[in-house]
Amino acid sequence: MLKVNRNDQRPLWQQLLDQAIHNIRTGKWPPGELLLPSRELALLVGVSRSTIQIVYEELFSRGYTVTSRRGGTRVSEWSYITGSFEDVMPQGPVTPELPVLNAAVNHLHGWLRGKEEQNVEIDFCPHEPYLDQHFQRKWRQSFLQASTEMDLANWAYGNAYGFVSLREQIQRYLSLERGIHVHIDQIMLTSGAQHSLDLIAQALLTEGDTVSVEDPGFPAAWMTMKYRSMNVVPVPVDEYGLQVDHIHPQSKLTFVTPSHQCAVGVIMSEPRRQQLLRKATQHQFWIVEDDYDSEFRYRGDPLPTLFSHQPQNTLYMMSFSKMVAPGIRISAIVGPKGAIQQLAHVHALTYRHLPIMEQLTLAHFIEHGHFMRHMRRVRNVYRRRHAAMTKALAATGLDKRFKLSGVETGLHMLLEAEESFDEEAVTNQALKEGIRVYPLSNYCLNSDRKGWVLGFAKVDEEAIEVGIYRLAEMLL
């Protein structure tokens, strides 16, 4: 018999329904059993008939009962289950082991953050740009104005290529600032470099293809390709950049950071660039050019891109993570129309499109001049911090004891030691002294090179000087 508990906070019908379902699922009410008419059961339980009718309607709608005009309400034939689900299957399906994924994620966390000790006073992080309240105010203005001005149609499903207005602004920026002249259909928006690489792997490569990557280099590049079951081949880097002669002869793609090598920081020499472009043409492989921080150059203008010389088989990756902020998650891939169309097809199938508000806000941010003013302002900040870093390294003698590279461009430089140097011990000792430095080994696939990648974008001049002097005390 069903019972009502007047102290229970649940509605009466919910109490009775839960009891009825329990009776059916445990077999107390067996298949085919005729339930009492609603009027009779209401009198027995002491509730209104409408309450019992709600219970019976819910049982029927969930498939626990069947009804007929003459046969009344009966328990469904198929609904009887002996015991509980927990008795049959105490646990759900076993989560598959994915060693490649787990290893990549662990490496990624180590590369991005290092060890997560909480006593860090000075963090020479090479991955994040300078941000302040001024930027936040301007971004908020663009967000509010873009929200006010946006058309209701923008809330519908969007273009897999990305918001048209934002691609037009990027097209204009590339033409004016980077010498890249393309049609809007040659630009596709993504949510970051890793997203871009994942789409490239899915759209332009097949499982088992050989991919060449810089070593040391951008860890996410080879992690993403390995996860997509590509044969990843490391290519060594020297003072002139990627050693083109070492690119695997069967490569379908070569990933390169020519304007400011990640993480060694060198600029790819013009002879090497020409050699790479010739080889790509002869062997018909894709060049993926990651131009992640070349807008910040301290000697002369930003260098010409590989894409501007050879657009037919080069995919140019640009990101707003360094130029604006990683949190907005907007990047772009520029390439031949056919390749970009293929990427857009994969994007439409797997992701559909990017969130609209970030695209609208960034488009407004660029169109109304906030972006270029932000770039001019942070360039001045970076120039001061770059000068403070190079001055401190020279004053302490670290630039003579170790090899310094990557000082012309970007937001980090490399202090390189001999391969026999105990890089890990110094990294751990620095943490104890309140300083976080980023070991070069985290950027290496097969290479045994040692050293520390030192970013200066988020560290003010005073902290840079203090941090470098403390580091010198440990190393010299």
Side-chain angles (χ1 to χ4, degrees):
M1 177 60 65
L2 303 181
K3 296 180 181 180
V4 170
N5 180 359
R6 299 294 175 179
N7 295 321
D8 196 323
Q9 298 298 313
R10 293 175 299 164
L12 297 178
W13 70 266
Q14 186 69 63
Q15 294 183 43
L16 299 176
L17 176 64
D18 290 346
Q19 293 176 50
I21 291 174
H22 175 76
N23 290 342
I24 293 172
R25 292 181 62 168
T26 58
K28 190 173 182 180
W29 293 357
E33 178 163 318
L34 179 66
L35 303 186
L36 292 175
S38 59
R39 191 186 306 277
E40 184 178 342
L41 183 58
L43 290 172
L44 289 173
V45 177
V47 296
S48 67
R49 185 187 178 195
S50 63
T51 299
I52 299 301
Q53 286 175 328
I54 292 173
V55 174
Y56 279 11
E57 288 170 2
E58 279 295 313
L59 289 173
F60 176 74
S61 67
R62 301 187 193 191
Y64 287 107
T65 60
V66 293
T67 61
S68 65
R69 183 170 295 180
R70 294 185 178 183
T73 299
R74 295 180 182 274
V75 176
S76 297
E77 292 293 332
W78 56 268
S79 63
Y80 177 53
I81 301 174
T82 57
S84 65
F85 284 121
E86 289 76 15
D87 295 332
V88 177
M89 180 61 70
Q91 296 178 337
V94 177
T95 302
E97 293 185 6
L98 299 173
V100 174
L101 175 64
N102 295 335
V105 169
N106 290 337
H107 191 155
L108 191 65
H109 287 165
W111 165 63
L112 285 173
R113 291 292 181 187
K115 297 183 178 179
E116 295 295 334
E117 282 78 358
Q118 299 300 313
N119 64 339
V120 175
E121 300 173 38
I122 301 169
D123 188 347
F124 288 107
C125 177
H127 314 300
E128 297 181 18
Y130 168 76
L131 296 171
D132 59 11
Q133 294 299 317
H134 183 271
F135 158 74
Q136 191 161 319
R137 284 195 302 272
K138 292 301 180 182
W139 184 263
R140 187 186 298 117
Q141 286 178 18
S142 287
F143 176 84
L144 294 174
Q145 291 173 19
S147 301
T148 302
E149 298 167 5
M150 74 183 294
D151 193 305
L152 282 174
N154 292 137
W155 291 108
Y157 287 108
N159 191 327
Y161 282 83
F163 186 50
V164 171
S165 179
L166 178 53
R167 287 190 288 137
E168 288 174 344
Q169 293 300 324
I170 292 173
Q171 177 192 41
R172 184 170 178 270
Y173 171 79
L174 290 173
S175 179
L176 294 175
E177 300 293 327
R178 304 297 286 122
I180 296 175
H181 309 289
V182 293
H183 189 272
I184 188 174
D185 288 342
Q186 292 180 258
I187 302 172
M188 178 182 160
L189 305 182
T190 71
S191 64
Q194 289 160 263
H195 183 198
S196 299
L197 289 164
D198 190 46
L199 288 173
I200 289 169
Q202 293 182 70
L204 303 180
L205 300 172
T206 56
E207 187 174 318
D209 277 352
T210 297
V211 173
S212 294
V213 298
E214 297 169 316
D215 186 22
F218 181 45
W222 72 70
M223 292 175 194
T224 301
M225 292 298 171
K226 280 189 173 183
Y227 183 64
R228 288 295 178 184
S229 301
M230 304 302 162
N231 174 35
V232 177
V233 177
V235 180
V237 173
D238 61 18
E239 64 269 31
Y240 303 110
L242 181 81
Q243 295 185 25
V244 177
D245 289 338
H246 290 74
I247 292 175
H248 194 281
Q250 301 302 317
S251 279
K252 301 294 184 181
L253 179 148
T254 296
F255 179 88
V256 64
T257 53
S259 297
H260 186 230
Q261 202 280 328
C262 177
V264 178
V266 297
I267 294 172
M268 193 176 194
S269 68
E270 187 59 29
R272 286 278 176 88
R273 289 169 180 251
Q274 294 303 320
Q275 185 185 8
L276 175 61
L277 294 173
R278 284 196 303 273
K279 188 160 191 171
T281 300
Q282 293 167 358
H283 293 269
Q284 286 296 289
F285 60 75
W286 292 104
I287 297 172
V288 175
E289 177 183 11
D290 188 2
D291 197 21
Y292 63 100
D293 69 356
S294 69
E295 289 83 1
F296 309 113
R297 192 154 191 255
Y298 309 104
R299 300 174 188 172
D301 295 328
L303 296 167
T305 63
L306 296 175
F307 181 87
S308 61
H309 289 294
Q310 191 164 296
Q312 67 271 19
N313 63 338
T314 303
L315 297 165
Y316 177 83
M317 288 172 40
M318 65 171 291
S319 173
F320 289 94
S321 293
K322 292 289 194 301
M323 291 191 288
V324 183
I328 66 171
R329 304 310 302 149
I330 294 180
S331 295
I333 309 176
V334 182
K337 280 190 179 181
I340 297 300
Q341 182 183 53
Q342 189 100 323
L343 292 171
H345 286 166
V346 173
H347 196 236
L349 178 65
T350 56
Y351 300 92
R352 192 60 190 94
H353 62 85
L354 299 181
I356 188 62
M357 278 313 303
E358 286 79 2
Q359 297 181 78
L360 283 167
T361 304
L362 182 57
H364 186 281
F365 194 74
I366 299 173
E367 183 179 0
H368 290 79
H370 301 312
F371 174 69
M372 290 309 299
R373 285 191 289 270
H374 171 76
M375 289 291 286
R376 285 193 294 269
R377 197 166 59 86
V378 297
R379 279 189 179 115
N380 289 330
V381 172
Y382 296 149
R383 193 170 286 108
R384 294 194 300 269
R385 295 182 176 183
H386 174 270
M389 177 78 87
T390 52
K391 182 179 178 181
L393 290 169
T396 57
L398 283 173
D399 65 341
K400 296 179 178 61
R401 170 65 179 82
F402 300 95
K403 182 179 178 181
L404 182 63
S405 60
V407 297
E408 292 185 13
T409 305
L411 305 180
H412 75 264
M413 51 189 74
L414 174 68
L415 198 64
E416 187 167 6
E418 296 87 359
E419 290 183 4
S420 59
F421 204 91
D422 195 341
E423 175 195 76
E424 184 178 1
V426 172
T427 303
N428 293 335
Q429 180 61 33
L431 278 170
K432 293 178 182 177
E433 298 293 329
I435 302 168
R436 177 175 288 146
V437 293
Y438 292 73
L440 181 60
S441 58
N442 283 347
Y443 296 79
C444 296
L445 186 54
N446 282 358
S447 175
D448 293 322
R449 294 173 71 169
K450 299 292 192 299
W452 301 273
V453 180
L454 304 175
F456 50 83
K458 294 192 71 174
V459 194
D460 63 39
E461 292 90 320
E462 183 180 351
I464 286 172
E465 183 176 354
V466 172
I468 295 300
Y469 272 85
R470 285 192 199 172
L471 195 61
E473 290 175 358
M474 289 180 281
L475 291 170
L476 297 178

